[in-house]
Amino acid sequence: MRQTLVAGNWKLNGSLASIDGLLKAVLAGIGEVDNAEVAVCPPYVYLPTVQTMLKNSPVVWGAQDVCDEDSGAYTGEVSAPMLNEFGCKYVIVGHSERRSIYGESDEFTARKFAATRRAGMKPILCVGESLEEREKAVTEQVVARQLDAVIALEGVAALTDCVIAYEPVWAIGTGMTASPQQAQDVHAFIRQRIAAQDASVADKLQILYGGSVKGNNAAELFAKPDIDGGLIGGASLQAEDFLAICKAG
Ligand code: PEP
């Protein structure tokens, strides 16, 4: 039985004041969340604040990205060992905004995945197709390619310590959620592809769905057999909306 994970990706949003209000409200309601592990991923600079507010609580935290190198002359970057010092459990790698806006390749994403594991944290590896790719019916090829880059570098056993988030790009921040069956189909494809190499890794792997998850559609998505929770963007910025999703877990 896989545990449900609901992870909030705050993206480039928040301030010291808004985070204080948001986390106080999340902590006030977290007692009503029975089944899901709950995580939040703030911008880097707010990690110390988030760590202070969440330590000794059931809510864990992570980062939205990481450098593929551990240290050195990489101006502007933040390394996995640094994130580990601030108590991060998870690191999102390969989010579609990193891939499309910053041109991060499958291979580069795989190196970030490796850096996260080296430092003892769990990558949340994002995969997913664009609208054009879905319309061309190449969703499975795209997701397989993104997955295979990580397996080629790290081996299939590395997926034991990781989470995969299937996020169709056309559903992110658009209000166009994949239907539960559309999402389930791709989740099952991911699990079967991994099972072909290692059935036990595939069975234990948490595969999250991301893309316009809200309080009113989360339960139906999470009820699907291969959907083990959600990666939540916009709705993770409002405590009431985020908690409603967490309770659906
Ligand atoms: C995301 O950015 O990972 C995401 C799923 O965003 P949203 O929930 O806003 O679609």
Side-chain angles (χ1 to χ4, degrees):
M1 185 71 184
R2 295 179 295 268
Q3 199 197 2
T4 301
L5 169 63
V6 178
N9 171 14
W10 294 353
K11 310 194 190 195
L12 187 60
N13 293 297
S15 62
L16 286 173
S18 72
I19 287 170
D20 187 72
L22 173 59
L23 287 183
K24 279 181 180 154
V26 168
L27 289 173
I30 199 72
E32 291 165 39
V33 175
D34 295 327
N35 293 320
E37 182 184 35
V38 176
V40 294
C41 299
Y44 291 136
V45 291
Y46 296 127
L47 280 169
T49 306
V50 167
Q51 180 180 32
T52 303
M53 290 188 74
L54 296 184
K55 66 172 185 250
N56 306 323
S57 88
V59 183
V60 298
W61 57 96
Q64 299 173 16
D65 189 22
V66 66
C67 184
D68 59 320
E69 300 287 346
D70 290 349
S71 64
Y74 301 99
T75 302
E77 291 294 299
V78 174
S79 75
M82 293 171 188
L83 295 176
N84 198 30
E85 279 201 299
F86 286 91
C88 289
K89 177 170 180 182
Y90 295 104
V91 178
I92 299 170
V93 298
H95 190 279
S96 70
E97 287 151 16
R98 301 297 320 170
R99 293 178 189 265
S100 66
I101 303 172
Y102 300 99
E104 298 186 0
S105 66
D106 297 335
E107 290 69 30
F108 190 49
T109 298
R111 292 210 301 278
K112 292 181 175 210
F113 180 101
T116 301
R117 290 188 65 246
R118 267 199 309 281
M121 298 173 292
K122 286 190 174 208
I124 300 178
L125 171 67
C126 299
V127 297
E129 82 288 0
S130 66
L131 184 57
E132 199 189 346
E133 288 162 339
R134 175 158 284 263
E135 283 170 353
K136 281 192 201 147
V138 292
T139 297
E140 291 188 356
Q141 285 98 309
V142 170
V143 168
R145 192 198 68 221
Q146 293 168 335
L147 214 49
D148 289 354
V150 168
I151 296 173
L153 185 70
E154 288 283 89
V156 72
L159 298 177
T160 312
D161 303 316
C162 110
V163 175
I164 289 178
Y166 167 60
E167 300 205 303
V169 179
W170 48 272
I172 296 178
T174 61
M176 280 169 62
T177 321
S179 72
Q181 194 53 48
Q182 276 176 320
Q184 164 60 25
D185 289 346
V186 182
H187 283 232
F189 167 76
I190 293 170
R191 203 178 301 285
Q192 280 157 17
R193 188 169 182 90
I194 295 165
Q197 298 185 52
D198 191 322
S200 141
V201 168
D203 190 45
K204 291 188 197 113
L205 181 66
Q206 288 167 302
I207 307 178
L208 313 185
Y209 169 77
S212 300
V213 179
K214 309 280 176 223
N216 62 8
N217 59 21
E220 216 192 329
L221 285 158
F222 298 171
K224 290 290 178 192
D226 289 295
I227 301 182
D228 307 310
L231 183 56
I232 318 300
S236 70
L237 296 170
Q238 301 294 333
E240 200 182 325
D241 296 344
F242 188 53
L243 285 165
I245 296 168
C246 296
K247 284 179 205 165

